[in-house]
Amino acid sequence: MPREDTVRTRKSLLDAACEIFAQKGYRDTTIAEISKLADTNIASVNYHFGNKETLYAEAWRCAFHESLKAHPPDGGVSDNALVEERFRAHVKATIGRLADKNNKEFWFVQREFANPTGLLEEVMREEINPIRKKTEGLVRELLGSLVSDRDVNFCETSIISQCI
């Protein structure tokens, strides 16, 4: 089991990285800035994350999970509720995440769109795909089993685009 100070240092680095990467993006952020805000030394980044790229991906993942904690994708609605209620709650949670001024994950994504690094592609796919599949499942359930995969995908894309 990791020592308490090791866990605390890692958490401090992630919190600082989330803050600065969200504000400045990957390229304009330095490890020195993150270390200073985390009140630790630069070597601790290498110890805990190996490099800036891994820290960036882990900081986005941390911000994403914080966002999901604040706005759970199910919106607090039971899986046994009517599909319309589950869909409404899911969309409301998505809009809540996107509109939340404390949502650093959103700023990471916006900066990636504007100035792509390619560093978040895999981690975003891993984390976002289950939520996309949930949205697609709700859309399919709403539209019925005869709807084509293409139409479900178009609807899911349209819904998320409108939320954004």
Side-chain angles (χ1 to χ4, degrees):
M1 180 155 201
R3 291 182 11 205
E4 188 176 319
D5 59 332
T6 302
V7 171
R8 189 174 33 250
T9 299
R10 187 176 198 286
K11 174 82 168 100
S12 293
L13 284 167
L14 275 175
D15 290 345
C18 284
E19 188 69 36
I20 297 173
F21 282 136
Q23 285 176 12
K24 299 174 75 176
Y26 175 79
R27 289 180 180 85
D28 293 332
T29 297
T30 67
I31 295 300
E33 289 174 290
I34 293 169
S35 298
K36 183 177 180 180
L37 185 61
D39 196 28
T40 188
N41 61 45
I42 292 173
S44 63
V45 170
N46 290 334
Y47 175 78
H48 289 281
F49 300 97
N51 55 41
K52 181 180 174 182
E53 292 85 1
T54 301
L55 175 58
Y56 182 62
E58 289 305 308
W60 179 84
R61 188 186 308 265
C62 179
F64 181 73
H65 286 273
E66 288 299 314
S67 176
L68 290 181
K69 264 197 277 186
H71 306 279
D74 66 6
V77 173
S78 165
D79 285 343
N80 299 327
L82 295 172
V83 66
E84 292 84 0
E85 291 176 45
R86 289 182 283 129
F87 177 74
R88 187 179 308 107
H90 184 74
V91 169
K92 233 174 131 175
T94 300
I95 293 170
R97 275 185 42 232
L98 295 170
D100 186 343
K101 65 181 175 148
N102 297 314
N103 181 355
K104 292 176 181 62
E105 169 241 342
F106 178 75
W107 293 108
F108 274 73
V109 173
Q110 293 306 306
R111 294 192 185 288
E112 276 295 310
F113 282 146
N115 197 2
T117 64
L119 297 171
L120 296 182
E121 289 175 14
E122 184 178 330
V123 71
M124 287 177 73
R125 191 171 29 256
E126 289 171 7
E127 297 292 346
I128 292 175
N129 273 351
I131 294 172
R132 285 196 70 213
K133 293 291 181 200
K134 175 82 170 171
T135 307
E136 287 176 359
L138 289 167
V139 168
R140 180 169 302 285
E141 196 174 340
L142 280 166
L143 297 178
S145 60
L146 298 178
V147 69
S148 71
D149 290 344
R150 180 176 170 232
D151 286 346
V152 169
N153 188 271
F154 283 157
C155 287
E156 186 267 339
T157 300
S158 174
I159 290 161
I160 297 303
S161 296
Q162 290 176 63
C163 290
I164 292 171

